[in-house]
Amino acid sequence: ILTSLEKLEVAPPSPGQLKHVFFHNALPFVGFGFLDNAIMIAAGTQIELSIGVVLGISTMAGAALGNLVSDLAGLGLAGYVEALASRLGLSIPDLTPKQADMWQTRLSAHL
């Protein structure tokens, strides 16, 4: 006969589930990182060539302003990147709430 404590214990996620958690969290970050850097480079270049020439700011100041534009764009585009990842078949890992809160799952998500 199982005790009530043994009935409440949940098996840790399998290696396949942990891999799924890893990719579910990693792929949107890769997409967002590419988009963020592309916007930063394009905006920094345009700022340096237009405002930078008029105001006489340095290349680094143009890059910093390009980073500001990229960060602001990232706030609005983050949801779209996640939606695109979902459309590409990146489903939510099938875990119980207890499995999702286990250290192995959190480590896999943060890697």
XYZ file of all heavy atoms in Angstrom:
812
model
N 0.858 -1.184 0.000
C 0.000 0.000 0.000
C 0.894 1.232 0.000
O 1.820 1.353 0.796
C -0.926 0.007 1.235
C -1.845 -1.212 1.188
C -1.705 1.292 1.300
C -2.713 -1.332 2.424
N 0.608 2.169 -0.917
C 1.389 3.399 -1.018
C 0.920 4.401 0.022
O -0.275 4.545 0.270
C 1.233 4.017 -2.405
C 1.778 3.207 -3.572
C 1.429 3.892 -4.874
C 3.266 3.048 -3.452
N 1.858 5.105 0.608
C 1.481 6.160 1.544
C 1.024 7.381 0.753
O 1.256 7.490 -0.458
C 2.677 6.552 2.439
O 3.678 7.125 1.611
C 3.216 5.356 3.192
N 0.396 8.315 1.412
C -0.088 9.510 0.719
C 1.073 10.333 0.161
O 0.940 10.978 -0.864
C -0.948 10.360 1.648
O -0.175 10.790 2.759
N 2.229 10.325 0.804
C 3.381 11.061 0.297
C 3.876 10.460 -1.009
O 4.219 11.185 -1.949
C 4.505 11.057 1.336
C 5.798 11.784 0.949
C 5.502 13.252 0.671
C 6.832 11.655 2.038
N 3.911 9.139 -1.121
C 4.371 8.498 -2.347
C 3.419 8.757 -3.503
O 3.838 8.838 -4.651
C 4.524 6.994 -2.121
C 5.682 6.641 -1.208
C 5.718 5.160 -0.859
O 4.663 4.516 -0.873
O 6.803 4.661 -0.579
N 2.135 8.920 -3.233
C 1.163 9.197 -4.293
C 1.338 10.601 -4.867
O 1.026 10.841 -6.018
C -0.265 9.045 -3.759
C -0.665 7.630 -3.460
C -2.074 7.596 -2.933
C -2.469 6.195 -2.506
N -3.811 6.157 -1.920
N 1.856 11.535 -4.055
C 1.988 12.917 -4.491
C 3.286 13.179 -5.246
O 3.420 14.198 -5.897
C 1.906 13.850 -3.288
C 0.565 13.878 -2.557
C 0.657 14.780 -1.338
C -0.542 14.325 -3.476
N 4.264 12.280 -5.162
C 5.531 12.494 -5.844
C 5.358 12.329 -7.348
O 4.634 11.467 -7.811
C 6.586 11.521 -5.328
C 7.046 11.843 -3.929
C 8.191 10.958 -3.478
O 8.873 10.384 -4.349
O 8.376 10.852 -2.270
N 6.051 13.186 -8.087
C 5.964 13.186 -9.543
C 7.350 12.846 -10.094
O 8.358 13.329 -9.592
C 5.513 14.578 -10.060
C 5.503 14.619 -11.570
C 4.147 14.930 -9.503
N 7.370 12.045 -11.128
C 8.643 11.680 -11.756
C 9.249 12.916 -12.411
O 8.531 13.752 -12.963
C 8.420 10.595 -12.797
N 10.564 13.068 -12.360
C 11.193 14.214 -13.031
C 11.008 14.099 -14.548
O 10.755 13.015 -15.073
C 12.663 14.103 -12.646
C 12.859 12.734 -12.130
C 11.527 12.222 -11.679
N 11.130 15.212 -15.254
C 10.971 15.181 -16.710
C 12.013 14.270 -17.364
O 13.147 14.174 -16.889
C 11.189 16.625 -17.136
C 11.107 17.437 -15.904
C 11.404 16.549 -14.755
N 11.617 13.639 -18.449
C 12.534 12.771 -19.186
C 13.543 13.630 -19.947
O 13.328 14.826 -20.152
C 11.745 11.910 -20.174
O 11.225 12.720 -21.206
N 14.655 13.041 -20.397
C 15.617 13.805 -21.206
C 14.971 14.410 -22.461
O 15.313 15.524 -22.857
C 16.687 12.776 -21.567
C 16.635 11.781 -20.455
C 15.182 11.704 -20.065
N 14.032 13.694 -23.060
C 13.337 14.234 -24.227
C 12.501 15.451 -23.883
O 12.455 16.427 -24.645
N 11.838 15.412 -22.731
C 11.043 16.568 -22.301
C 11.950 17.754 -21.982
O 11.620 18.895 -22.310
C 10.209 16.203 -21.070
C 9.037 15.302 -21.375
C 8.322 14.857 -20.114
O 8.953 14.437 -19.147
N 6.995 14.959 -20.127
N 13.093 17.487 -21.368
C 14.027 18.573 -21.057
C 14.593 19.196 -22.331
O 14.783 20.410 -22.411
C 15.155 18.063 -20.159
C 14.736 17.680 -18.740
C 15.910 17.073 -17.989
C 14.161 18.860 -17.990
N 14.847 18.365 -23.334
C 15.319 18.873 -24.623
C 14.241 19.753 -25.274
O 14.535 20.800 -25.842
C 15.667 17.697 -25.541
C 16.608 18.059 -26.661
C 16.946 16.873 -27.534
C 17.599 15.763 -26.732
N 18.012 14.616 -27.545
N 12.988 19.320 -25.150
C 11.873 20.095 -25.685
C 11.783 21.453 -24.985
O 11.576 22.487 -25.632
C 10.577 19.305 -25.512
C 9.413 19.874 -26.242
N 8.290 19.146 -26.493
C 9.162 21.093 -26.767
C 7.418 19.892 -27.135
N 7.931 21.077 -27.307
N 11.945 21.469 -23.665
C 11.929 22.720 -22.900
C 13.068 23.626 -23.368
O 12.872 24.840 -23.572
C 12.052 22.441 -21.387
C 12.320 23.714 -20.602
C 10.800 21.758 -20.865
N 14.252 23.049 -23.563
C 15.408 23.821 -24.020
C 15.123 24.501 -25.355
O 15.304 25.715 -25.505
C 16.637 22.908 -24.136
C 17.822 23.583 -24.757
C 18.616 24.442 -24.011
C 18.134 23.371 -26.088
C 19.704 25.079 -24.577
C 19.221 23.997 -26.673
C 20.008 24.858 -25.912
N 14.663 23.744 -26.341
C 14.411 24.321 -27.661
C 13.234 25.283 -27.655
O 13.239 26.287 -28.370
C 14.209 23.220 -28.711
C 15.494 22.579 -29.125
C 15.760 21.258 -28.814
C 16.452 23.299 -29.814
C 16.951 20.671 -29.176
C 17.665 22.724 -30.182
C 17.909 21.401 -29.864
N 12.231 24.997 -26.839
C 11.070 25.885 -26.735
C 11.497 27.264 -26.238
O 10.927 28.279 -26.648
C 10.027 25.281 -25.789
C 8.848 26.155 -25.566
N 7.861 26.318 -26.510
C 8.487 26.937 -24.517
C 6.945 27.153 -26.048
N 7.305 27.536 -24.837
N 12.499 27.310 -25.371
C 12.973 28.581 -24.842
C 14.096 29.193 -25.676
O 14.221 30.413 -25.736
C 13.459 28.393 -23.397
C 12.306 28.226 -22.443
O 11.610 29.185 -22.137
N 12.069 27.016 -22.001
N 14.918 28.374 -26.315
C 16.092 28.881 -27.026
C 15.765 29.467 -28.402
O 16.321 30.513 -28.763
C 17.126 27.766 -27.183
N 14.919 28.819 -29.163
C 14.689 29.268 -30.539
C 14.132 30.685 -30.638
O 14.606 31.472 -31.469
C 13.807 28.268 -31.282
C 14.506 26.951 -31.624
C 13.555 25.996 -32.337
C 15.744 27.194 -32.466
N 13.160 31.079 -29.824
C 12.714 32.478 -29.907
C 13.826 33.478 -29.558
O 13.890 34.554 -30.136
C 11.569 32.555 -28.896
C 11.047 31.165 -28.812
C 12.261 30.287 -28.964
N 14.727 33.096 -28.656
C 15.826 33.987 -28.309
C 16.787 34.162 -29.480
O 17.304 35.249 -29.704
C 16.586 33.472 -27.086
C 15.987 33.905 -25.789
C 15.255 33.012 -25.029
C 16.146 35.198 -25.329
C 14.696 33.404 -23.830
C 15.587 35.603 -24.131
C 14.862 34.701 -23.381
N 17.033 33.094 -30.225
C 17.910 33.191 -31.395
C 17.276 34.118 -32.436
O 17.932 35.011 -32.981
C 18.190 31.796 -31.989
C 18.919 31.908 -33.323
C 18.999 30.955 -31.008
N 15.983 33.918 -32.695
C 15.274 34.778 -33.648
C 15.254 36.226 -33.202
O 15.495 37.154 -33.991
N 14.993 36.439 -31.924
C 14.952 37.804 -31.409
C 16.340 38.434 -31.442
O 16.480 39.614 -31.774
C 14.395 37.819 -29.985
C 14.315 39.202 -29.412
C 13.307 40.061 -29.799
C 15.261 39.645 -28.507
C 13.238 41.345 -29.290
C 15.205 40.915 -27.990
C 14.178 41.770 -28.385
N 17.371 37.671 -31.131
C 18.731 38.202 -31.161
C 19.139 38.627 -32.562
O 19.760 39.680 -32.745
N 18.783 37.809 -33.554
C 19.088 38.174 -34.942
C 18.364 39.457 -35.322
O 18.958 40.381 -35.892
C 18.685 37.030 -35.888
C 18.871 37.361 -37.331
C 20.127 37.289 -37.913
C 17.799 37.776 -38.110
C 20.314 37.618 -39.244
C 17.983 38.107 -39.439
C 19.241 38.024 -40.006
N 17.086 39.524 -35.014
C 16.278 40.704 -35.352
C 16.803 41.939 -34.624
O 16.940 43.016 -35.229
C 14.818 40.428 -34.972
C 13.769 41.420 -35.412
C 13.708 41.484 -36.928
C 12.410 40.994 -34.868
N 17.115 41.809 -33.356
C 17.608 42.925 -32.548
C 18.907 43.480 -33.124
O 19.058 44.693 -33.278
C 17.799 42.450 -31.107
C 18.244 43.562 -30.181
O 17.533 44.590 -30.107
O 19.291 43.410 -29.527
N 19.840 42.601 -33.461
C 21.129 43.060 -33.994
C 20.994 43.640 -35.393
O 21.675 44.619 -35.723
C 22.152 41.925 -33.971
C 22.665 41.668 -32.584
O 23.126 42.576 -31.919
N 22.558 40.438 -32.127
N 20.125 43.074 -36.215
C 19.926 43.616 -37.564
C 19.352 45.033 -37.492
O 19.808 45.936 -38.224
C 18.994 42.699 -38.361
N 18.378 45.234 -36.611
C 17.793 46.573 -36.455
C 18.834 47.534 -35.893
O 18.944 48.685 -36.340
C 16.534 46.524 -35.555
C 15.419 45.762 -36.258
C 16.074 47.930 -35.178
C 14.220 45.470 -35.372
N 19.619 47.082 -34.928
C 20.628 47.944 -34.316
C 21.669 48.395 -35.342
O 22.036 49.576 -35.391
C 21.326 47.218 -33.168
C 22.384 48.057 -32.477
S 23.153 47.255 -31.073
C 23.809 45.773 -31.796
N 22.115 47.489 -36.176
C 23.125 47.839 -37.180
C 22.546 48.800 -38.216
O 23.164 49.816 -38.560
C 23.683 46.569 -37.853
C 24.528 45.793 -36.845
C 24.499 46.918 -39.095
C 24.891 44.391 -37.302
N 21.342 48.491 -38.702
C 20.721 49.356 -39.711
C 20.404 50.737 -39.138
O 20.689 51.769 -39.782
C 19.451 48.699 -40.244
N 19.823 50.774 -37.948
C 19.475 52.062 -37.349
C 20.733 52.853 -36.995
O 20.786 54.068 -37.230
C 18.615 51.847 -36.102
N 21.734 52.193 -36.436
C 22.979 52.892 -36.078
C 23.658 53.494 -37.290
O 24.159 54.627 -37.237
N 23.663 52.761 -38.379
C 24.266 53.272 -39.619
C 23.507 54.486 -40.134
O 24.116 55.502 -40.494
C 24.285 52.166 -40.697
O 25.034 51.058 -40.207
C 24.890 52.673 -41.987
N 22.191 54.402 -40.169
C 21.393 55.532 -40.664
C 21.505 56.748 -39.753
O 21.557 57.883 -40.231
C 19.930 55.118 -40.823
C 19.690 54.158 -41.970
C 20.212 54.716 -43.283
O 19.952 55.851 -43.663
N 20.986 53.906 -44.001
N 21.533 56.504 -38.440
C 21.673 57.620 -37.502
C 23.033 58.289 -37.683
O 23.139 59.519 -37.707
C 21.471 57.137 -36.046
C 19.997 56.802 -35.816
C 21.962 58.164 -35.040
C 19.702 56.079 -34.528
N 24.078 57.481 -37.826
C 25.416 58.046 -38.010
C 25.510 58.843 -39.303
O 26.113 59.920 -39.337
C 26.459 56.926 -38.010
C 27.876 57.446 -38.135
C 28.900 56.340 -38.248
O 28.529 55.161 -38.350
O 30.090 56.681 -38.251
N 24.887 58.336 -40.378
C 24.982 59.004 -41.678
C 24.079 60.220 -41.798
O 24.307 61.081 -42.645
C 24.666 58.017 -42.800
C 25.656 56.860 -42.959
C 25.182 55.896 -44.035
C 27.055 57.385 -43.262
N 23.046 60.310 -40.974
C 22.142 61.463 -41.082
C 22.320 62.412 -39.897
O 22.905 63.484 -40.029
C 20.693 60.990 -41.199
O 20.343 60.205 -40.064
N 21.845 62.018 -38.736
C 21.929 62.874 -37.553
C 23.383 63.077 -37.137
O 23.770 64.173 -36.717
C 21.114 62.264 -36.380
C 19.655 62.141 -36.767
C 21.260 63.090 -35.120
C 18.825 61.352 -35.770
N 24.177 62.016 -37.259
C 25.581 62.099 -36.860
C 26.357 63.140 -37.632
O 27.200 63.841 -37.076
N 26.082 63.275 -38.908
C 26.768 64.256 -39.743
C 26.331 65.673 -39.353
O 27.151 66.574 -39.227
C 26.481 63.991 -41.241
C 27.017 65.105 -42.111
C 27.068 62.655 -41.658
N 25.034 65.842 -39.135
C 24.509 67.171 -38.804
C 24.971 67.620 -37.417
O 25.408 68.752 -37.229
C 22.959 67.172 -38.884
C 22.386 68.488 -38.401
C 22.498 66.880 -40.305
N 24.873 66.719 -36.429
C 25.208 67.083 -35.053
C 26.667 66.826 -34.707
O 27.128 67.236 -33.645
C 24.313 66.305 -34.075
C 22.808 66.570 -34.178
C 22.059 65.714 -33.175
C 22.502 68.045 -33.956
N 27.364 66.119 -35.558
C 28.773 65.842 -35.312
C 29.000 64.841 -34.185
O 29.971 64.967 -33.452
N 28.116 63.865 -34.074
C 28.291 62.858 -33.017
C 29.248 61.765 -33.497
O 29.436 61.563 -34.689
C 26.949 62.250 -32.555
C 26.257 61.504 -33.694
C 26.034 63.328 -31.992
C 24.998 60.745 -33.278
N 29.814 61.061 -32.542
C 30.780 60.018 -32.874
C 30.066 58.760 -33.385
O 28.848 58.613 -33.264
C 31.606 59.662 -31.640
O 30.779 59.014 -30.679
N 30.855 57.850 -33.925
C 30.325 56.571 -34.385
C 29.724 55.799 -33.222
O 28.663 55.166 -33.358
C 31.448 55.742 -35.046
O 31.957 56.474 -36.152
C 30.941 54.400 -35.516
N 30.369 55.837 -32.066
C 29.852 55.139 -30.888
C 28.526 55.728 -30.415
O 27.643 55.006 -29.968
C 30.877 55.168 -29.750
C 32.076 54.272 -29.998
S 31.623 52.535 -30.279
C 31.056 52.078 -28.672
N 28.363 57.038 -30.516
C 27.096 57.663 -30.137
C 25.999 57.232 -31.109
O 24.858 56.972 -30.699
C 27.228 59.179 -30.111
N 26.344 57.126 -32.402
C 25.385 56.623 -33.386
C 24.998 55.185 -33.097
O 23.826 54.802 -33.199
N 25.980 54.374 -32.694
C 25.700 52.983 -32.338
C 24.817 52.907 -31.099
O 23.906 52.072 -31.017
C 27.003 52.230 -32.111
N 25.068 53.780 -30.135
C 24.253 53.791 -28.915
C 22.806 54.176 -29.235
O 21.859 53.566 -28.711
C 24.844 54.755 -27.897
N 22.616 55.158 -30.081
C 21.255 55.541 -30.476
C 20.598 54.428 -31.298
O 19.390 54.202 -31.188
C 21.281 56.859 -31.254
C 21.653 58.091 -30.420
C 21.829 59.305 -31.320
C 20.594 58.355 -29.363
N 21.388 53.741 -32.124
C 20.858 52.588 -32.864
C 20.418 51.487 -31.919
O 19.404 50.819 -32.135
N 21.152 51.300 -30.840
C 20.775 50.315 -29.827
C 19.474 50.719 -29.136
O 18.626 49.874 -28.850
C 21.909 50.150 -28.807
C 21.670 48.992 -27.873
O 21.142 47.962 -28.269
N 22.065 49.156 -26.623
N 19.302 52.007 -28.888
C 18.061 52.498 -28.289
C 16.873 52.201 -29.205
O 15.834 51.704 -28.756
C 18.165 54.000 -28.019
C 16.896 54.679 -27.533
C 16.534 54.184 -26.142
C 17.061 56.187 -27.543
N 17.030 52.490 -30.490
C 15.962 52.199 -31.454
C 15.668 50.704 -31.491
O 14.516 50.274 -31.499
C 16.353 52.715 -32.867
C 15.377 52.220 -33.926
C 16.429 54.230 -32.877
N 16.723 49.901 -31.489
C 16.559 48.449 -31.522
C 15.847 47.937 -30.280
O 14.980 47.054 -30.365
C 17.936 47.793 -31.649
O 17.826 46.405 -31.583
N 16.198 48.472 -29.124
C 15.528 48.048 -27.890
C 14.052 48.422 -27.898
O 13.200 47.648 -27.461
C 16.220 48.654 -26.671
C 17.572 48.027 -26.390
O 17.847 46.935 -26.945
O 18.346 48.628 -25.627
N 13.739 49.601 -28.379
C 12.339 50.019 -28.462
C 11.558 49.149 -29.450
O 10.417 48.763 -29.191
C 12.236 51.490 -28.853
C 12.724 52.484 -27.796
C 12.717 53.904 -28.355
C 11.879 52.388 -26.539
N 12.183 48.823 -30.563
C 11.532 47.937 -31.538
C 11.350 46.542 -30.948
O 10.328 45.890 -31.172
C 12.363 47.861 -32.822
N 12.334 46.099 -30.175
C 12.258 44.780 -29.556
C 11.087 44.635 -28.606
O 10.506 43.551 -28.484
N 10.745 45.710 -27.920
C 9.586 45.664 -27.022
C 8.310 45.327 -27.781
O 7.461 44.582 -27.305
C 9.422 47.006 -26.297
C 10.493 47.343 -25.270
C 10.292 48.763 -24.750
C 10.472 46.355 -24.128
N 8.176 45.881 -28.964
C 6.976 45.629 -29.761
C 7.034 44.344 -30.567
O 5.998 43.766 -30.882
N 8.232 43.878 -30.893
C 8.372 42.713 -31.764
C 8.503 41.382 -31.030
O 8.399 40.331 -31.654
C 9.583 42.891 -32.681
C 9.495 44.041 -33.684
C 10.812 44.210 -34.411
C 8.363 43.810 -34.665
N 8.701 41.409 -29.731
C 8.920 40.168 -28.981
C 7.737 39.215 -29.121
O 7.919 38.011 -29.318
C 9.178 40.483 -27.510
N 6.541 39.732 -29.045
C 5.349 38.888 -29.189
C 5.254 38.257 -30.570
O 4.830 37.107 -30.711
N 5.671 39.004 -31.593
C 5.623 38.478 -32.954
C 6.645 37.357 -33.159
O 6.383 36.396 -33.874
C 5.864 39.594 -33.976
C 4.747 40.597 -34.023
C 4.902 41.875 -33.504
C 3.510 40.268 -34.578
C 3.881 42.790 -33.541
C 2.472 41.179 -34.616
C 2.664 42.441 -34.097
O 1.637 43.348 -34.132
N 7.806 37.490 -32.535
C 8.835 36.442 -32.641
C 8.322 35.154 -31.996
O 8.465 34.063 -32.557
C 10.162 36.899 -31.996
C 11.153 35.748 -31.911
C 10.760 38.053 -32.779
N 7.700 35.271 -30.830
C 7.157 34.091 -30.161
C 6.004 33.488 -30.962
O 5.875 32.264 -31.042
C 6.712 34.440 -28.748
C 7.884 34.708 -27.831
C 7.464 35.026 -26.411
O 6.268 34.880 -26.084
O 8.338 35.414 -25.628
N 5.167 34.322 -31.561
C 4.061 33.819 -32.386
C 4.603 33.087 -33.611
O 4.063 32.047 -34.002
C 3.159 34.969 -32.799
N 5.661 33.607 -34.213
C 6.266 32.947 -35.370
C 6.853 31.596 -34.973
O 6.679 30.606 -35.688
C 7.351 33.832 -35.987
C 8.098 33.243 -37.179
C 7.142 32.971 -38.336
C 9.204 34.169 -37.621
N 7.508 31.548 -33.821
C 8.065 30.275 -33.344
C 6.941 29.267 -33.101
O 7.082 28.080 -33.405
C 8.864 30.496 -32.069
N 5.834 29.733 -32.601
C 4.684 28.856 -32.374
C 4.114 28.353 -33.697
O 3.745 27.185 -33.825
C 3.618 29.609 -31.580
O 2.499 28.784 -31.366
N 4.055 29.219 -34.709
C 3.555 28.822 -36.036
C 4.468 27.815 -36.714
O 4.024 27.017 -37.528
C 3.418 30.033 -36.945
C 2.122 30.736 -36.785
C 1.901 31.680 -37.934
N 1.162 32.816 -37.432
C 1.205 34.020 -37.921
N 1.986 34.278 -38.956
N 0.506 34.983 -37.404
N 5.747 27.863 -36.371
C 6.705 26.933 -36.965
C 6.646 25.555 -36.311
O 7.427 24.681 -36.642
C 8.132 27.496 -36.857
C 8.418 28.733 -37.697
C 9.805 29.277 -37.387
C 8.289 28.420 -39.176
N 5.712 25.373 -35.378
C 5.521 24.068 -34.763
C 6.199 23.907 -33.418
O 6.308 22.801 -32.911
N 6.647 24.988 -32.838
C 7.290 24.935 -31.536
C 6.220 24.936 -30.453
O 5.790 25.971 -29.990
C 8.230 26.127 -31.373
C 9.181 26.101 -30.198
C 10.113 24.904 -30.305
C 9.991 27.374 -30.165
N 5.778 23.735 -30.085
C 4.686 23.610 -29.120
C 5.189 23.745 -27.688
O 6.376 23.595 -27.409
C 3.992 22.263 -29.293
O 4.911 21.216 -29.039
N 4.267 24.006 -26.786
C 4.588 24.098 -25.366
C 4.871 22.695 -24.841
O 4.111 21.768 -25.128
C 3.421 24.750 -24.598
C 3.215 26.178 -25.092
C 3.675 24.730 -23.101
C 1.980 26.847 -24.548
N 5.952 22.517 -24.094
C 6.261 21.174 -23.564
C 5.132 20.645 -22.683
O 4.515 21.393 -21.928
C 7.526 21.399 -22.736
C 8.117 22.656 -23.266
C 6.972 23.488 -23.738
N 4.864 19.355 -22.806
C 3.788 18.717 -22.052
C 4.325 18.264 -20.697
O 4.838 17.157 -20.557
C 3.233 17.526 -22.844
C 2.015 16.923 -22.181
O 1.309 17.653 -21.468
O 1.783 15.709 -22.358
N 4.224 19.161 -19.717
C 4.704 18.883 -18.372
C 3.605 19.185 -17.361
O 2.775 20.060 -17.593
C 5.915 19.762 -18.026
C 7.158 19.624 -18.885
C 8.153 20.717 -18.546
C 7.789 18.261 -18.686
N 3.630 18.474 -16.257
C 2.717 18.803 -15.173
C 3.250 20.061 -14.484
O 4.427 20.400 -14.630
C 2.642 17.655 -14.142
O 3.919 17.533 -13.502
C 2.238 16.344 -14.800
N 2.405 20.766 -13.743
C 2.909 21.952 -13.038
C 4.077 21.643 -12.104
O 5.009 22.437 -11.998
C 1.686 22.440 -12.254
C 0.521 21.972 -13.051
C 0.955 20.651 -13.630
N 4.057 20.487 -11.461
C 5.167 20.123 -10.573
C 6.443 19.872 -11.371
O 7.530 20.253 -10.958
C 4.812 18.894 -9.739
C 3.845 19.205 -8.623
C 3.666 18.021 -7.710
C 2.718 18.404 -6.588
N 2.665 17.400 -5.543
N 6.330 19.233 -12.536
C 7.510 18.998 -13.373
C 8.066 20.319 -13.899
O 9.272 20.494 -13.986
C 7.159 18.084 -14.545
C 7.003 16.635 -14.177
C 6.608 15.802 -15.387
O 5.791 16.234 -16.204
N 7.176 14.614 -15.475
N 7.179 21.244 -14.250
C 7.622 22.536 -14.771
C 8.370 23.336 -13.719
O 9.197 24.191 -14.052
C 6.426 23.328 -15.279
N 8.118 23.067 -12.445
C 8.760 23.798 -11.364
C 10.012 23.098 -10.835
O 10.694 23.626 -9.969
C 7.763 24.011 -10.221
C 8.232 25.055 -9.233
O 8.785 26.075 -9.685
O 8.056 24.847 -8.020
N 10.361 21.940 -11.357
C 11.543 21.208 -10.880
C 12.823 21.888 -11.351
O 12.852 22.561 -12.382
C 11.510 19.760 -11.367
C 10.435 18.936 -10.701
S 10.493 17.233 -11.285
C 9.315 16.493 -10.196
N 13.896 21.684 -10.586
C 15.149 22.349 -10.900
C 15.681 21.952 -12.268
O 16.288 22.774 -12.971
C 16.200 22.094 -9.808
C 16.726 20.686 -9.755
C 16.238 19.654 -9.009
C 17.821 20.144 -10.494
N 16.970 18.523 -9.230
C 17.949 18.785 -10.141
C 18.707 20.682 -11.420
C 18.934 17.981 -10.683
C 19.679 19.860 -11.961
C 19.789 18.531 -11.580
N 15.462 20.694 -12.680
C 15.973 20.239 -13.980
C 15.302 21.022 -15.109
O 15.958 21.396 -16.082
C 15.672 18.747 -14.197
C 16.288 17.819 -13.186
C 15.311 17.442 -12.091
O 14.510 18.244 -11.638
N 15.396 16.209 -11.608
N 14.015 21.265 -14.968
C 13.266 21.983 -15.996
C 13.703 23.443 -16.044
O 13.901 24.008 -17.128
C 11.749 21.888 -15.726
O 11.406 20.514 -15.530
C 10.954 22.460 -16.855
N 13.849 24.049 -14.887
C 14.275 25.454 -14.837
C 15.686 25.614 -15.393
O 15.960 26.571 -16.138
C 14.184 25.996 -13.410
C 12.731 26.288 -13.022
C 12.626 26.906 -11.659
N 12.657 25.804 -10.696
C 13.270 25.841 -9.540
N 13.892 26.919 -9.151
N 13.248 24.798 -8.730
N 16.575 24.676 -15.094
C 17.928 24.731 -15.642
C 17.908 24.607 -17.156
O 18.566 25.374 -17.875
C 18.785 23.609 -15.039
C 20.214 23.499 -15.558
C 21.017 24.750 -15.169
C 20.879 22.250 -15.034
N 17.115 23.681 -17.669
C 17.002 23.488 -19.116
C 16.433 24.733 -19.792
O 16.874 25.112 -20.878
C 16.117 22.267 -19.396
O 16.129 21.945 -20.750
N 15.473 25.365 -19.155
C 14.863 26.579 -19.731
C 15.851 27.750 -19.739
O 15.850 28.555 -20.674
C 13.610 26.949 -18.948
N 16.695 27.839 -18.733
C 17.607 28.968 -18.634
C 18.902 28.767 -19.424
O 19.617 29.736 -19.661
C 17.924 29.270 -17.175
C 16.782 29.901 -16.464
N 15.956 29.210 -15.623
C 16.307 31.164 -16.496
C 15.027 30.001 -15.154
N 15.218 31.206 -15.670
N 19.204 27.538 -19.795
C 20.414 27.310 -20.599
C 20.281 27.990 -21.942
O 21.203 28.467 -22.521
C 20.672 25.818 -20.779
C 21.267 25.114 -19.569
C 21.365 23.616 -19.847
C 22.623 25.661 -19.227
